[in-house]
């Protein structure tokens, strides 16, 4: 005769949700919370305004035969049906002290670890609006509330290990300095000795700087380059490109005859933008200036166009070839900043960046700013 569960014979009133874990991404753009109301535990990934995705983690009472619509309608995490959980009888409540968050290098996804082992993952591609929840260790198969983590670990396990190694290195005493010197050493034979160096991130992650390479007798303009954007992969790239390796790491550069300290201010906006806005920069992308046009630091303009081959526009000299640097097994791509008008940006949006480049070239717009 089976053992009866007196608790299961009467309705259990859920408790107010208790937060077991809350973690902000290292870039400050997303937050994960793990909450339990005594019946279930679930994880939620938020941006600045709303939840992006979620995953059921555990039932703490015997599972129902099917989903409880009333809990969903009340905004509660559902109890997983008995046929879709490894623990149909329920599992003990999770202990907050056993939980920690491991953020992806890109900052767009996160793993919830229990005693150091993956319990749930909400990846960068997880999206409730597209019917793609996160992954949970206790889920069997795919459900609207969570997908099996076991089934996804072949692809996720190496990623989680890379993320763990990345943050361990990034937080080490010498990690940032080693990377910084690597970029500066790469630029030296290509752009000449450095001048000023400015912090572009106010000490926040991702750490980024701007190096000035003053004009020379052979180059009548200054080149400014970011240092640090390529230290971590950009978010989103893998969701739009089949092979993101050649596009995931970038630095930005610009050539100018404007006062360098003035032009460098554009990088206070651009250098951390991909991680702050959870997006990516690629060749031909255009980005609208966030403030009044009168504050745009590159003279006349309301946006920027990013080109990996600025030589398609006229100029007094050939653009320096900055290729050849790699990090984390990925090549680093330098994108050059070209100021454009809002009208230009709309043309690129409607007809593609190639149409805009053609128009700029016909206007004899130089890739050298100023």
């Amino acid at each position: 005769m089976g053992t009866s569960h007196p608790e299961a014979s009467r309705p259990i009133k859920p408790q107010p949700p208790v937060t077991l874990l809350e973690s902000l991404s290292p870039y400050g753009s997303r937050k994960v919370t793990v909450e339990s109301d005594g019946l279930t535990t679930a994880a939620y990934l938020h941006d600045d305004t709303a939840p992006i995705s979620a995953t059921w983690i555990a039932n703490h009472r015997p599972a129902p035969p099917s989903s409880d619509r009333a809990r969903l309608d009340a905004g509660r995490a559902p109890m997983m049906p008995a046929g879709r959980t490894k623990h149909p009888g329920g599992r003990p409540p999770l202990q907050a002290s056993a939980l920690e968050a491991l953020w992806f290098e890109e900052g767009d996804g996160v793993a919830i670890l229990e005693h150091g082992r993956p319990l749930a993952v909400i990846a960068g591609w997880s999206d409730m609006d597209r019917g793609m929840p996160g992954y949970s260790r206790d889920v069997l198969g795919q459900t609207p509330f969570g997908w099996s983590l076991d089934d996804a670990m072949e692809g996720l396990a190496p990623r989680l290990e890379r993320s763990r190694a990345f943050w361990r290195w990034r937080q080490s005493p010498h990690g940032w300095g080693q990377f910084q010197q690597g970029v500066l050493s790469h630029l030296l034979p290509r752009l000449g000795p450095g001048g000023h160096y400015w912090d572009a991130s106010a000490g926040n992650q991702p750490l980024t700087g701007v190096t000035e390479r003053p004009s020379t007798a052979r180059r009548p303009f200054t080149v400014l380059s970011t240092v640090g954007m390529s230290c971590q992969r950009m978010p989103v790239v893998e969701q739009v490109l089949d092979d993101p390796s050649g596009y995931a790491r970038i630095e930005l550069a610009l050539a100018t005859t404007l006062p360098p300290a003035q032009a460098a201010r554009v990088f206070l906006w651009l250098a951390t933008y991909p991680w702050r806005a959870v997006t990516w920069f690629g060749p031909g992308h255009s980005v609208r200036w966030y403030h009044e046009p009168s504050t745009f630091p590159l003279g006349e303009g309301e946006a920027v166009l990013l080109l990996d081959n600025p030589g398609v526009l006229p100029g007094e000299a050939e653009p320096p070839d900055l290729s050849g640097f790699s990090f984390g097994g990925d090549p680093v791509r330098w994108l050059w900043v070209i100021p454009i008008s809002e009208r230009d940006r709309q043309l690129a949006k409607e007809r593609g960046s190639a149409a805009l480049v053609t128009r700029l070239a016909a206007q004899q717009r130089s890739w050298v700013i100023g």
Side-chain angles (χ1 to χ4, degrees):
M1 180 179 292
T3 303
S4 64
H5 291 272
E7 305 96 324
S9 64
R10 64 182 186 272
I12 303 297
K13 185 178 180 180
Q15 306 163 4
V18 174
T19 299
L20 302 177
L21 175 70
E22 181 175 279
S23 175
L24 189 66
S25 82
Y27 311 124
S29 53
R30 290 191 168 174
K31 180 178 70 174
V32 67
T33 59
V34 178
E35 299 178 0
S36 178
D37 65 0
L39 296 184
T40 64
T41 296
Y44 303 88
L45 185 66
H46 307 254
D47 63 11
D48 289 340
T49 59
I52 301 166
S53 193
T55 184
W56 170 93
I57 290 180
N59 290 345
H60 304 300
R61 313 296 295 190
S66 60
S67 300
D68 183 352
R69 189 74 218 178
R71 281 183 63 86
L72 285 173
D73 293 341
R76 299 275 190 172
M79 292 190 72
M80 189 63 69
R84 292 296 193 175
T85 171
K86 294 180 181 178
H87 303 285
R91 59 165 287 176
L94 301 176
Q95 300 301 310
S97 60
L99 303 180
E100 62 178 310
L102 172 63
W103 287 93
F104 287 12
E105 175 183 342
E106 299 87 343
D108 57 351
V110 62
I112 307 300
L113 308 180
E114 182 183 33
H115 297 296
R117 297 179 56 232
L119 175 68
V121 174
I122 306 180
W125 56 85
S126 299
D127 187 334
M128 290 188 298
D129 291 339
R130 294 190 294 163
M132 299 176 67
Y135 305 86
S136 174
R137 188 171 69 198
D138 288 355
V139 171
L140 298 174
Q142 293 188 358
T143 81
F145 320 120
W147 291 357
S148 167
L149 181 59
D150 289 349
D151 293 347
M153 279 303 285
E154 182 178 355
L156 286 174
R159 185 188 197 106
L160 298 184
E161 190 51 44
R162 285 197 306 270
S163 297
R164 197 192 304 268
F166 172 79
W167 291 115
R168 188 186 305 122
W169 169 82
R170 193 70 201 251
Q171 293 160 5
S172 68
H174 307 296
W176 165 246
Q178 291 170 347
F179 172 86
Q180 187 182 45
Q181 286 306 310
V183 178
L184 295 175
S185 297
H186 172 77
L187 293 176
L188 179 60
R190 293 161 176 82
L191 296 176
H196 290 89
Y197 184 92
W198 298 278
D199 175 22
S201 57
N204 298 318
Q205 293 287 357
L207 296 177
T208 52
V210 181
T211 178
E212 172 199 14
R213 304 293 156 141
S215 58
T216 65
R218 293 190 301 171
R219 189 185 69 224
F221 51 82
T222 295
V223 175
L224 301 174
S225 171
T226 60
V227 177
M229 294 182 72
S230 62
C231 192
Q232 52 283 307
R233 285 180 148 222
M234 290 182 291
V236 181
V237 185
E238 63 187 353
Q239 299 172 41
V240 295
L241 298 176
D242 291 335
D243 183 8
S245 61
Y247 295 85
R249 299 187 190 272
I250 65 160
E251 298 288 352
L252 298 179
L254 62 82
T256 187
T257 57
L258 296 172
Q262 172 189 326
R265 292 206 305 269
V266 77
F267 294 121
L268 298 177
W269 164 55
L270 287 174
T272 60
Y273 190 106
W275 298 272
R276 192 173 64 247
V278 192
T279 188
W280 69 296
F281 288 162
H285 286 192
S286 57
V287 192
R288 185 178 183 179
W289 177 241
Y290 74 100
H291 204 19
E292 294 295 325
S294 60
T295 66
F296 189 61
L298 302 181
E300 293 185 6
E302 300 165 85
V304 296
L305 175 68
L306 305 177
L307 298 177
D308 60 349
N309 180 22
V312 295
L313 299 177
E316 298 181 31
E318 286 294 313
D321 180 5
L322 302 184
S323 64
F325 184 71
S326 62
F327 185 72
D330 301 320
V332 174
R333 184 184 297 263
W334 261 263
L335 299 178
W336 292 77
V337 175
I338 310 294
I340 59 175
S341 68
E342 177 59 17
R343 182 183 174 193
D344 291 334
R345 192 182 74 87
Q346 289 297 329
L347 174 65
K349 187 176 179 180
E350 295 166 8
R351 296 175 50 193
S353 60
L356 174 57
V357 169
T358 298
R359 185 164 88 175
L360 296 178
Q363 296 171 348
Q364 290 297 297
R365 181 78 65 85
S366 175
W367 64 275
V368 179
I369 301 168

